[in-house]
């Protein structure tokens, strides 16, 4: 997950303009359709990842050939502005007809009568087979027995490493036998005294960072009874190991998403943790494609493994003016055909059972099979009904550990306190 922006910006204004006029307030129930008699109906599709736009456009083109009375308009808005614009659209009745949904936000949208309940449409569909999707992902988008989105894809986190830097240092590449000790030893040897090159990148980032180490160490972020796990001794121990790379100067202090990518693409860091959704962007980057490899995350020293597992969902606005056409699009994206095409085009790891192999074959640059291999021990991304709120607040409390203003113990204690206060207010 990328951290949510707080302040309004020019990007937000553009985002609001992008989403404006996409939906309709006239169809409050989402029933029926008033498809134009003068031409094709245009269905808008809101997404936040520009790297996926090209492939999704091909999928949309193929869909349009099969459904000539429907046109798909893909709208791309960056992560932070996407959610601010979506919230504004929900309030003003101008949501996209169809759009991506995330585990962080599904409860807010699904429980407030904003999304179309897909139960009946799924039940009558001959193309959508919900048992072909991972149960964990299906349940994320199901609220009190109602399905508000269908899994689009899934992802895991890999260890990306600069082969050129490893070669120059005379080190063997990371592999599936690596433990935390191997990671630390390599980071130390790859860090130059003048800090012109860091051995590793361990930023203040949860999904593509410390969450993985917490679960590898037997800790947790949120307990089954909805309490914070930041004060769990195992969690604190993992956070100490993770933050220590910054403390020892083996990793730069990094807090922004753009900076993280730049650190890798500019040759500043020899290793980093990034999700499978970065594949198309890294493949198209000349420096990354020529110099980098990817492998599974190292295990904790006791052998325990984990990689954070998550997946997006395709949802439909309840106020869409064209619910039938919107459903045809989401139905296609959720079908075996649509999921297979998404995988073949290398857009993302399709959530449909068996389609992931096509995604692996779509890329000849990196050993993408490692992302599939990690599924067997993957940990579902921690979430609750108000994930975004407590994650942002936890970031604020944890930042001091990375800057040295707090001890790791104090930062985790503070994060647990603020998180528990928020969890206590959940419905």
């Amino acid at each position: 997950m990328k951290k949510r922006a707080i302040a309004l910006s020019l990007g937000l204004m553009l985002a609001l303009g992008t989403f404006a006029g996409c939906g309709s307030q006239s169809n409050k129930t989402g029933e029926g359709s008033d498809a134009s008699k003068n031409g094709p109906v245009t269905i808008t599709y809101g997404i936040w990842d520009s790297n996926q736009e090209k492939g999704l456009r091909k999928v949309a083109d193929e869909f349009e050939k099969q459904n000539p009375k429907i046109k798909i308009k893909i709208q791309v808005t960056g992560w932070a502005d996407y959610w601010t614009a979506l919230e504004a659209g929900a309030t003003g009745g101008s949501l996209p007809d169809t759009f991506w949904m995330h585990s962080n936000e599904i409860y807010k949208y699904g429980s407030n009568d904003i999304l179309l309940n897909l139960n009946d449409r799924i039940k009558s569909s001959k193309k959508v087979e919900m048992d072909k999707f991972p149960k964990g992902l299906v349940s994320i988008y199901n609220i009190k027995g109602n399905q508000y989105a269908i899994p689009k894809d899934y992802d895991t986190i890999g260890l990306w490493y600069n082969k050129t830097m490893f070669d120059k240092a005379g080190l063997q590449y990371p592999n599936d036998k690596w433990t935390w000790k191997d990671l630390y030893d390599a980071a130390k040897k790859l860090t130059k005294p003048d800090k012109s090159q860091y051995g590793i990148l361990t930023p203040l980032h949860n999904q593509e960072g410390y969450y993985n180490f917490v679960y590898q160490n037997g800790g947790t972020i949120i307990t089954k009874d909805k309490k914070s796990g930041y004060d769990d001794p195992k969690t604190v121990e993992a956070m100490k190991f993770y933050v220590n790379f910054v403390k020892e100067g083996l990793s730069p202090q990094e807090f922004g998403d753009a900076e993280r990518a730049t650190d890798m693409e500019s040759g500043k860091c020899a290793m980093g943790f990034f999700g499978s959704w970065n594949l198309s962007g890294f493949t198209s980057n000349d420096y990354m494609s020529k110099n980098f490899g990817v492998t599974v995350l190292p295990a904790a020293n006791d052998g325990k493994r984990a990689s954070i597992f998550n997946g997006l969902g395709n949802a439909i606005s309840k106020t869409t003016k064209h619910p039938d056409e919107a459903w045809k699009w989401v139905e296609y994206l959720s079908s075996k055909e649509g999921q297979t095409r998404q995988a073949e085009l290398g857009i993302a790891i399709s959530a449909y059972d068996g389609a992931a192999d096509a995604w692996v074959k779509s890329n000849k640059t990196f050993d993408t099979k490692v992302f599939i291999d990690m599924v067997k021990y993957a940990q579902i991304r921690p979430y609750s009904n108000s994930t975004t709120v407590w994650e942002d607040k936890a970031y604020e409390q944890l930042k001091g550990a990375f800057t040295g203003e707090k001890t790791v113990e104090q930062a985790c204690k503070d994060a647990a306190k603020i998180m528990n206060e928020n969890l206590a207010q959940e419905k």
Side-chain angles (χ1 to χ4, degrees):
M1 184 201 86
K2 295 180 181 177
K3 196 173 181 182
R4 187 176 181 179
I6 302 300
L8 290 175
S9 63
L10 176 60
L12 170 58
M13 298 305 173
L14 293 172
L16 293 175
T18 299
F19 280 177
C22 300
S24 169
Q25 299 183 62
S26 61
N27 185 359
K28 296 296 183 182
T29 63
E31 297 175 353
S33 175
D34 64 344
S36 172
K37 298 178 181 179
N38 301 317
V41 167
T42 296
I43 296 299
T44 49
Y45 185 43
I47 70 173
W48 61 70
D49 187 354
S50 59
N51 287 326
Q52 295 192 33
E53 181 182 12
K54 184 177 179 181
L56 286 171
R57 183 66 258 169
K58 291 182 180 179
V59 172
D61 291 343
E62 293 169 5
F63 169 81
E64 290 174 356
K65 287 181 180 179
Q66 297 179 28
N67 300 272
K69 293 184 178 181
I70 305 175
K71 295 296 181 184
I72 304 300
K73 182 179 181 181
I74 300 175
Q75 301 175 327
V76 186
T77 310
W79 169 267
D81 289 342
Y82 178 93
W83 295 108
T84 311
L86 208 65
E87 188 170 332
T91 303
S94 57
L95 285 169
D97 298 294
T98 61
F99 48 93
W100 284 357
M101 188 45 57
H102 189 277
S103 59
N104 282 13
E105 302 282 350
I106 182 60
Y107 184 80
K108 178 169 68 177
Y109 288 89
S111 65
N112 284 297
D113 208 31
I114 296 171
L115 306 179
L116 190 64
N117 186 335
L118 304 178
N119 282 7
D120 291 341
R121 294 177 185 274
I122 291 172
K123 186 176 181 179
S124 61
S125 175
K126 295 181 180 180
K127 297 181 179 179
V128 178
E129 303 170 274
M130 296 302 287
D131 61 350
K132 295 294 185 180
F133 297 100
K135 290 182 179 179
L137 297 186
V138 171
S139 61
I140 285 175
Y141 300 108
N142 189 293
I143 299 175
K144 296 180 180 179
N146 297 317
Q147 199 70 36
Y148 290 106
I150 301 176
K152 169 190 175 291
D153 54 35
Y154 72 77
D155 49 67
T156 54
I157 312 302
L159 171 62
W160 294 79
Y161 57 94
N162 191 312
K163 295 185 292 185
T164 303
M165 291 180 180
F166 270 78
D167 290 341
K168 288 181 178 179
L171 298 176
Q172 291 188 337
Y173 299 155
N175 56 48
D176 60 2
K177 301 296 190 295
W178 263 35
T179 63
W180 286 8
K181 183 181 184 304
D182 297 304
L183 186 72
Y184 173 79
D185 290 345
K188 201 162 186 178
K189 292 176 182 177
L190 289 162
T191 300
K192 293 185 176 180
D194 63 358
K195 298 301 186 286
S196 60
Q197 175 183 301
Y198 290 91
I200 195 169
L201 175 63
T202 55
L204 175 58
H205 200 282
N206 47 44
Q207 186 172 350
E208 291 181 289
Y210 61 84
Y211 274 4
N212 299 279
F213 288 82
V214 167
Y215 285 97
Q216 287 166 6
N217 200 48
T220 187
I221 297 300
I222 186 169
T223 64
K224 291 181 179 180
D225 58 348
K226 302 298 181 185
K227 298 290 177 59
S228 176
Y230 275 112
D231 50 2
D232 182 316
K234 291 289 187 180
T235 299
V236 176
E237 184 178 45
M239 290 297 294
K240 282 184 176 180
F241 176 78
Y242 185 84
V243 175
N244 188 59
F245 286 103
V246 176
K247 186 177 180 180
E248 288 195 25
L250 308 181
S251 167
Q253 286 183 23
E254 212 65 271
F255 307 103
D257 286 313
E259 291 79 5
R260 288 193 304 123
T262 300
D263 284 348
M264 304 303 286
E265 295 168 357
S266 66
K268 185 176 181 178
C269 298
M271 295 183 286
F273 311 100
F274 290 86
S276 52
W277 61 87
N278 293 288
L279 181 63
S280 58
F282 285 175
T283 302
S284 62
N285 181 279
D286 287 341
Y287 183 80
M288 292 291 293
S289 62
K290 291 178 181 177
N291 293 284
F292 273 78
V294 63
T295 189
V296 299
L297 295 182
N301 292 330
D302 65 359
K304 184 174 176 56
R305 293 188 174 279
S307 177
I308 297 299
F309 177 71
N310 196 35
L312 309 185
N314 284 312
I316 301 175
S317 167
K318 189 174 182 181
T319 59
T320 176
K321 201 173 181 180
H322 309 292
D324 293 339
E325 290 79 7
W327 167 249
K328 280 190 176 181
W329 169 233
V330 170
E331 181 182 43
Y332 178 75
L333 291 172
S334 309
S335 67
K336 182 178 181 179
E337 179 184 355
Q339 286 277 297
T340 300
R341 285 301 289 143
Q342 175 181 238
E344 291 173 342
L345 292 167
I347 299 170
I349 308 175
S350 290
Y352 192 91
D353 185 33
D357 291 340
W359 179 79
V360 172
K361 295 176 182 177
S362 72
N363 191 289
K364 306 300 182 184
T365 305
F366 299 109
D367 179 18
T368 54
K369 187 176 179 296
V370 299
F371 290 102
I372 312 300
D373 293 340
M374 288 186 283
V375 172
K376 59 180 174 288
Y377 50 77
Q379 164 66 43
I380 200 74
R381 191 184 194 283
Y383 70 96
S384 72
N385 295 347
S386 58
T387 313
T388 300
V389 178
W390 56 256
E391 277 195 336
D392 283 351
K393 290 182 177 180
Y395 266 141
E396 294 172 10
Q397 299 304 320
L398 293 171
K399 187 174 182 179
F402 289 80
T403 60
E405 298 173 67
K406 294 181 181 181
T407 63
V408 173
E409 292 93 338
Q410 186 61 52
C412 287
K413 182 179 179 180
D414 293 343
K417 182 176 182 296
I418 197 72
M419 183 175 168
N420 281 327
E421 289 174 356
N422 188 80
L423 288 170
Q425 299 174 22
E426 284 191 353
K427 297 178 181 178

